[in-house]
Amino acid sequence: MSGKGKKRIAVCGFAIAVVLLVFIYLFMNPVILKEGVFAKEIHTEFKEKFNIRDHIAFVFAGDASKVKAVGTVDTDKLGDYKIKMKYGRVSRDIVVKVLDTKAPKVVASDYTTDMVEDVAPGSFNVKVTDAAPPEKIKIKMKKPEPMKTKGEFSVKIIAEDPSGNVGTTQVKLTRKKDKTPPIIEVGAPLNLAVGQVIDDSLALSGTKVTDDFDKTVKISYDVDGVNVSEPNTYKIIYKAKDRSGNEAEVEREVRVSNTISDNQKVVYLTFDDGPSHNTAKILDILSTYNIKGTFFVTGNDASYRYLIQRAAKEGHTIGLHTYTHNYNIYTSEETFFRDLDMVHDMVLNLTGIDSHHIRFAGGSSNTVSAAYNSGIMSRLVKDVQSRGFRYYDWNVSSGDASGNTVPVERLLRGATGYNYNHICILMHDSSAKTTTVEALPGIIEYYKKKGYAFLPISDSTPMFHHGVNN
C-alpha cells in the first residue's frame, strides 16, 4: 500500500474515533462505575449513608464531583431503589440495592460457674454490634462436650443477623466444684403481737440469700417452734440449698407479746417533735394523773435532751420521730435510715433504750415525700418493719399540727368525742405548742370519765396505720 493510502486510512480511523467519542459523550453517560462500564445496578450497605460518587471509577473527560443522583435511597430499609445518575445533559437509570452484607461484631466475656448450671449465651455477657436491631439478632453458642465436668472449655458464640451474616467470638468457660454453702441474712428480730399470723410477707421480710455461683437460691422457713398464742421469745429456722447441694441454716428471734383485747378501752397519748420546755410541763401533767404517754422525739434541741431521760425514767415510751424533722430525709431510703439511725443512737446513748417504735414525719400517709422521691413511702413502710421497727400513725388528731397556739377549745373538739375502743391521739410537745399543754388536762378528763385506760405504746399496742399515698 502506498504512503498516501496509509495516510488516508489513519485519517479515517482518527475521524471514526472522534465520532465515537463524541457519540459516547453526547448520547451515553461518560461516567464509568466501579461495578463495570455497563453496570445498571450498584450496591450500598444497610444503615450506611449513600453517595453516588463513592461508586464512580472515573468520568471520561470530566469531573466526578459533578455527578448527581436523582431519586431517593432509604438505607434504613433493605430493598431496590431506582434513581437516575446525571452528568451534564445525559443520565442513566440505575438500580441501587440496599443490602446487609456485613457480619455482626461480637464481644463476650469469659465465665466461671459450678458443674451444674446450664450455661447459655447470656452467661457470657454477649454484646453484639450490627446494623440490624438487637431483637432481630439470633445468638447461640457452639459448645463442645463434655461441658459439666471440672475444667476449662472453649466456647464459640455465634451471632446471625436477619440477612444471614454471621459473626463469632471465642470465650472460655471454667467449671469448678462448688463446696461453699449459701449465705442467709435474716435481719432484725421480728416483734409480733399474740395471735398475729406469720405469713410469707412477714417471715421473709428483711431476708436475703447470696451464693457464690447460684443466683436462684430460695429461702425456706420453719415456724413449728413458734407459738403465737403465748407471749415468749421463739426462733424461726431459715434454710437455703444451692443447686450443687450445699445447705445453710440460720435462726431468727421472734418476740411474741400480749396484745390489747379488742373490747378494752384504751387511749394512747402521743407527742411529736420534742423535747422542748413544753415537754417538762406535759410530764408534770401526766405525773399528776399518774398516766403514761409516748414521746416521738427528735434531735433538734440538745439543751432539752435531759427531758428524754426524765420521760424514760418515769415509765413513758420513747419513740423515734426523726433526728432533723426535715422532709429531705425522704430523698432516698439511705437518707431516711441515716436520719433514723441518728435519732435511734441518740436515744440509746441517753437512756440505754434500744427503741424500735417509730412515727414517720408527716405520718405514713404523707404526700410531701413525693416531692423528694416518688413511691418512697410504699417502700419505707416495708423496710422499717423488715429491720425490726414498728411504726405508728394515729386515728385521732388534736389539730395542733395545723398551726401554733391553736385555741384550746378547738384542740379539745379535735381530740375528744370519739368512741373507738382503741384511740391513738396525735399531739405535739414542740416549743410553739403552748396551747396543747393547756388542752391536755381536759383531754385526759374527758376520756377518764368515759372509762378509758391510758397506756404508753408497746409491742402489744394495736398497729395504727394510715393508707400510704406515695
Side-chain angles (χ1 to χ4, degrees):
M1 183 179 293
S2 66
K4 289 182 179 181
K6 292 179 179 179
K7 186 176 181 180
R8 280 196 295 271
I9 292 173
V11 170
C12 288
F14 177 77
I16 291 171
V18 170
V19 170
L20 286 173
L21 289 173
V22 170
F23 177 80
I24 291 172
Y25 188 81
L26 293 177
F27 299 99
M28 297 180 65
N29 198 314
V31 179
I32 308 301
L33 298 173
K34 293 177 181 178
E35 286 80 358
V37 175
F38 300 106
K40 294 182 179 180
E41 293 181 352
I42 60 178
H43 154 242
T44 191
E45 192 65 26
F46 181 47
K47 294 286 186 179
E48 294 183 5
K49 186 176 181 180
F50 170 71
N51 189 332
I52 189 64
R53 288 188 286 275
D54 293 337
H55 298 266
I56 298 172
F58 68 93
V59 177
F60 184 79
D63 183 356
S65 66
K66 296 182 180 179
V67 178
K68 296 180 180 178
V70 179
T72 300
V73 178
D74 185 358
T75 58
D76 287 335
K77 294 181 181 178
L78 298 172
D80 296 349
Y81 298 87
K82 293 181 180 180
I83 66 168
K84 286 188 179 295
M85 183 175 64
K86 296 193 68 176
Y87 182 73
R89 292 178 294 174
V90 295
S91 65
R92 188 197 308 181
D93 290 333
I94 297 290
V95 174
V96 179
K97 290 183 170 291
V98 177
L99 304 173
D100 184 1
T101 64
K102 293 186 177 180
K105 294 180 180 179
V106 188
V107 177
S109 304
D110 296 339
Y111 185 59
T112 300
T113 188
D114 53 33
M115 294 161 55
V116 181
E117 181 185 6
D118 293 321
V119 295
S123 304
F124 299 93
N125 192 29
V126 178
K127 292 182 172 60
V128 178
T129 304
D130 191 70
E135 64 272 14
K136 298 290 185 180
I137 305 295
K138 295 178 181 178
I139 302 174
K140 59 184 179 179
M141 64 181 188
K142 184 178 180 181
K143 51 187 179 181
E145 296 295 341
M147 286 288 284
K148 290 191 175 180
T149 59
K150 184 179 179 181
E152 295 183 351
F153 307 92
S154 179
V155 178
K156 179 183 283 187
I157 305 295
I158 302 167
E160 181 178 354
D161 67 20
S163 297
N165 303 302
V166 174
T168 65
T169 190
Q170 292 286 141
V171 290
K172 182 173 69 176
L173 170 65
T174 302
R175 287 196 183 272
K176 297 181 177 180
K177 186 172 180 59
D178 182 10
K179 299 181 180 180
T180 306
I183 298 173
I184 304 174
E185 300 174 52
V186 295
L190 291 176
N191 295 295
L192 309 183
V194 168
Q196 187 171 355
V197 177
I198 303 177
D199 57 13
D200 284 352
S201 175
L202 183 60
L204 296 176
S205 63
T207 63
K208 180 182 178 182
V209 61
T210 55
D211 189 73
D212 50 354
F213 291 118
D214 190 352
K215 309 305 179 188
T216 62
V217 181
K218 298 256 171 87
I219 298 178
S220 62
Y221 62 91
D222 181 358
V223 295
D224 288 347
V226 180
N227 182 2
V228 295
S229 300
E230 293 291 334
N232 210 333
T233 299
Y234 303 95
K235 302 285 185 184
I236 295 180
I237 308 299
Y238 295 85
K239 295 181 180 180
K241 183 178 181 179
D242 68 21
R243 62 186 172 224
S244 295
N246 302 300
E247 296 183 81
E249 180 178 307
V250 298
E251 296 179 344
R252 185 182 198 178
E253 191 173 276
V254 180
R255 303 163 183 163
V256 179
S257 58
N258 278 313
T259 187
I260 304 301
S261 63
D262 290 341
N263 59 2
Q264 186 175 354
K265 300 172 72 172
V266 180
V267 170
Y268 298 91
L269 302 173
T270 69
F271 305 91
D272 290 9
D273 298 356
S276 75
H277 62 92
N278 285 324
T279 307
K281 298 175 183 178
I282 289 172
L283 287 171
D284 290 342
I285 294 170
L286 297 178
S287 178
T288 299
Y289 284 95
N290 194 28
I291 60 178
K292 308 301 180 185
T294 301
F295 295 84
F296 289 101
V297 303
T298 71
N300 281 334
D301 195 338
S303 65
Y304 288 104
R305 288 178 185 172
Y306 71 95
L307 291 172
I308 298 176
Q309 295 172 310
R310 176 187 165 186
K313 288 177 181 178
E314 293 180 4
H316 304 283
T317 293
I318 306 301
L320 312 176
H321 196 31
T322 67
Y323 191 84
T324 61
H325 208 283
N326 190 324
Y327 282 98
N328 66 12
I329 62 172
Y330 293 128
T331 300
S332 68
E333 285 89 334
E334 290 75 15
T335 55
F336 175 84
F337 282 107
R338 185 161 55 245
D339 183 277
L340 183 60
D341 287 343
M342 290 172 66
V343 69
H344 170 274
D345 292 346
M346 179 192 74
V347 169
L348 182 61
N349 291 332
L350 288 169
T351 66
I353 297 171
D354 183 10
S355 178
H356 57 273
H357 306 295
I358 72 171
R359 175 170 284 166
F360 292 107
S364 66
S365 59
N366 81 80
T367 56
V368 69
S369 57
Y372 296 91
N373 188 319
S374 178
I376 192 169
M377 293 309 304
S378 298
R379 299 189 294 274
L380 285 179
V381 294
K382 297 177 181 177
D383 291 346
V384 295
Q385 294 179 94
S386 72
R387 297 193 185 198
F389 294 97
R390 294 166 68 93
Y391 75 91
Y392 299 84
D393 292 313
W394 56 90
N395 61 354
V396 171
S397 173
S398 66
D400 66 352
S402 64
N404 298 326
T405 63
V406 176
V408 171
E409 296 75 21
R410 212 162 92 196
L411 296 178
L412 287 169
R413 285 196 304 272
T416 60
Y418 298 92
N419 294 313
Y420 311 140
N421 280 352
H422 301 155
I423 294 175
C424 184
I425 305 177
L426 171 67
M427 292 176 282
H428 293 79
D429 62 331
S430 49
S431 60
K433 308 299 181 180
T434 54
T435 54
T436 300
V437 177
E438 298 172 30
L440 182 58
I443 296 170
I444 294 172
E445 289 289 348
Y446 174 86
Y447 285 107
K448 279 179 69 70
K449 290 177 182 178
K450 293 285 187 178
Y452 282 82
F454 294 83
L455 294 177
I457 284 175
S458 68
D459 287 348
S460 64
T461 301
M463 304 298 281
F464 295 93
H465 286 175
H466 293 168
V468 176
N469 295 315
N470 178 32

